[in-house]
Coordinates of all heavy atoms in Angstrom, one line a residue:
V86 N -0.1 27.3 -8.4 CA -0.2 28.7 -7.8 C 1.0 28.9 -6.8 O 1.6 30.0 -6.8 CB -1.6 28.9 -7.1 CG1 -1.6 30.2 -6.3 CG2 -2.7 28.9 -8.1
A87 N 1.3 27.9 -6.0 CA 2.3 28.1 -5.0 C 3.7 28.3 -5.7 O 4.5 29.0 -5.2 CB 2.3 26.9 -4.1
E88 N 3.9 27.6 -6.8 CA 5.2 27.7 -7.5 C 5.2 28.7 -8.6 O 6.3 28.9 -9.2 CB 5.6 26.3 -8.1 CG 5.8 25.2 -7.0 CD 6.1 23.9 -7.6 OE1 6.2 23.8 -8.9 OE2 6.2 22.9 -6.9
N89 N 4.1 29.3 -8.8 CA 4.0 30.4 -9.9 C 4.4 29.8 -11.2 O 5.2 30.4 -12.0 CB 4.8 31.6 -9.5 CG 4.4 32.8 -10.4 OD1 3.3 32.8 -10.9 ND2 5.3 33.8 -10.5
E90 N 3.9 28.6 -11.5 CA 4.2 27.9 -12.8 C 2.9 27.5 -13.4 O 1.8 27.5 -12.7 CB 5.0 26.6 -12.5 CG 6.4 26.8 -12.0 CD 7.4 27.2 -13.1 OE1 7.0 27.2 -14.3 OE2 8.5 27.7 -12.8
T91 N 2.9 27.1 -14.7 CA 1.7 26.6 -15.3 C 1.4 25.2 -14.8 O 2.3 24.5 -14.3 CB 1.8 26.6 -16.8 OG1 2.9 25.7 -17.2 CG2 2.2 28.0 -17.3
K92 N 0.1 24.8 -15.0 CA -0.2 23.4 -14.6 C 0.5 22.4 -15.4 O 0.9 21.4 -14.9 CB -1.7 23.2 -14.7 CG -2.5 24.0 -13.7 CD -4.0 23.7 -13.8 CE -4.6 24.6 -14.8 NZ -6.0 24.5 -14.9
A93 N 0.7 22.7 -16.7 CA 1.4 21.7 -17.5 C 2.9 21.6 -17.0 O 3.4 20.5 -17.0 CB 1.4 22.2 -19.0
R94 N 3.5 22.7 -16.6 CA 4.9 22.6 -16.2 C 5.0 21.8 -14.9 O 5.9 21.0 -14.6 CB 5.5 24.0 -16.0 CG 6.8 24.1 -15.4 CD 7.9 23.3 -16.1 NE 8.1 23.9 -17.4 CZ 9.0 23.4 -18.3 NH1 9.7 22.3 -17.9 NH2 9.2 23.9 -19.5
V95 N 4.0 22.1 -14.0 CA 4.0 21.4 -12.7 C 3.8 19.9 -12.9 O 4.5 19.0 -12.3 CB 3.0 21.9 -11.7 CG1 2.8 21.1 -10.5 CG2 3.3 23.4 -11.3
R96 N 2.9 19.5 -13.8 CA 2.6 18.1 -14.1 C 3.9 17.5 -14.7 O 4.3 16.4 -14.3 CB 1.5 18.0 -15.1 CG 1.2 16.6 -15.5 CD 0.0 16.5 -16.5 NE -1.2 16.8 -15.8 CZ -2.0 17.8 -16.2 NH1 -1.7 18.6 -17.2 NH2 -3.2 18.0 -15.5
F97 N 4.6 18.2 -15.6 CA 5.8 17.7 -16.2 C 6.9 17.5 -15.1 O 7.5 16.4 -15.1 CB 6.3 18.7 -17.3 CG 7.6 18.3 -17.9 CD1 7.7 17.3 -18.8 CD2 8.8 18.9 -17.5 CE1 8.9 16.9 -19.4 CE2 10.0 18.6 -18.0 CZ 10.0 17.6 -19.0
N98 N 7.0 18.4 -14.2 CA 8.0 18.3 -13.2 C 7.8 17.1 -12.3 O 8.7 16.4 -11.9 CB 8.1 19.6 -12.4 CG 8.8 20.7 -13.1 OD1 9.5 20.5 -14.1 ND2 8.5 22.0 -12.7
L99 N 6.5 16.9 -11.9 CA 6.1 15.8 -11.1 C 6.4 14.5 -11.8 O 6.9 13.5 -11.2 CB 4.7 15.9 -10.6 CG 4.3 17.0 -9.6 CD1 2.8 17.1 -9.4 CD2 5.0 16.7 -8.3
M100 N 6.1 14.4 -13.1 CA 6.3 13.2 -13.9 C 7.8 12.9 -13.9 O 8.3 11.8 -13.9 CB 5.7 13.3 -15.3 CG 4.2 13.4 -15.2 SD 3.4 11.9 -14.7 CE 3.6 10.9 -16.1
E101 N 8.6 14.0 -14.1 CA 10.1 13.8 -14.1 C 10.6 13.3 -12.8 O 11.5 12.4 -12.8 CB 10.8 15.1 -14.5 CG 10.7 15.5 -15.9 CD 11.6 14.7 -16.8 OE1 12.7 14.5 -16.4 OE2 11.1 14.3 -17.9
R102 N 10.1 13.8 -11.7 CA 10.5 13.4 -10.4 C 10.1 11.9 -10.1 O 10.7 11.3 -9.2 CB 10.0 14.3 -9.3 CG 10.6 15.7 -9.4 CD 10.0 16.7 -8.5 NE 10.1 16.3 -7.1 CZ 9.5 17.0 -6.1 NH1 8.7 18.0 -6.4 NH2 9.7 16.6 -4.9
M103 N 9.1 11.4 -10.8 CA 8.7 10.0 -10.5 C 9.7 9.0 -11.0 O 9.7 7.9 -10.6 CB 7.4 9.7 -11.2 CG 6.2 10.4 -10.5 SD 4.6 10.1 -11.4 CE 4.4 8.4 -11.0
L104 N 10.6 9.4 -11.9 CA 11.6 8.5 -12.5 C 12.5 7.9 -11.4 O 12.7 6.7 -11.2 CB 12.4 9.1 -13.6 CG 11.7 9.4 -14.8 CD1 12.6 10.1 -15.8 CD2 11.2 8.1 -15.5
Q105 N 13.2 8.8 -10.6 CA 14.0 8.4 -9.5 C 13.8 9.4 -8.4 O 14.6 10.2 -8.1 CB 15.5 8.3 -9.9 CG 15.9 7.1 -10.7 CD 17.4 7.0 -10.9 OE1 18.1 8.0 -10.8 NE2 17.8 5.8 -11.2
P106 N 12.7 9.2 -7.7 CA 12.4 10.2 -6.6 C 13.3 10.2 -5.5 O 13.5 11.2 -4.8 CB 11.0 9.8 -6.2 CG 10.8 8.4 -6.5 CD 11.7 8.2 -7.8
C107 N 14.0 9.1 -5.2 CA 15.0 9.1 -4.1 C 16.4 8.9 -4.5 O 17.2 8.5 -3.8 CB 14.6 7.9 -3.1 SG 13.0 8.1 -2.4
G108 N 16.7 9.3 -5.8 CA 18.0 9.2 -6.3 C 18.3 7.8 -6.8 O 17.4 6.9 -6.9
P109 N 19.5 7.5 -7.3 CA 19.8 6.2 -7.8 C 19.8 5.1 -6.7 O 20.0 5.4 -5.5 CB 21.2 6.4 -8.4 CG 21.8 7.6 -7.7 CD 20.6 8.4 -7.3
P110 N 19.5 3.9 -7.1 CA 19.5 2.8 -6.1 C 20.8 2.6 -5.4 O 21.9 2.8 -6.0 CB 19.0 1.6 -6.9 CG 19.3 1.9 -8.3 CD 19.3 3.4 -8.4
P111 N 20.8 2.2 -4.1 CA 22.1 2.0 -3.4 C 22.8 0.8 -4.0 O 22.1 -0.1 -4.6 CB 21.6 1.8 -2.0 CG 20.2 1.3 -2.1 CD 19.6 2.0 -3.3

Side-chain angles (χ1 to χ4, degrees):
V86 169
E88 295 176 5
N89 196 22
E90 294 281 350
T91 63
K92 288 183 276 187
R94 173 57 64 180
V95 171
R96 181 180 289 119
F97 176 77
N98 289 340
L99 289 172
M100 295 294 281
E101 284 286 317
R102 289 172 64 188
M103 285 176 74
L104 290 176
Q105 284 189 340
C107 298

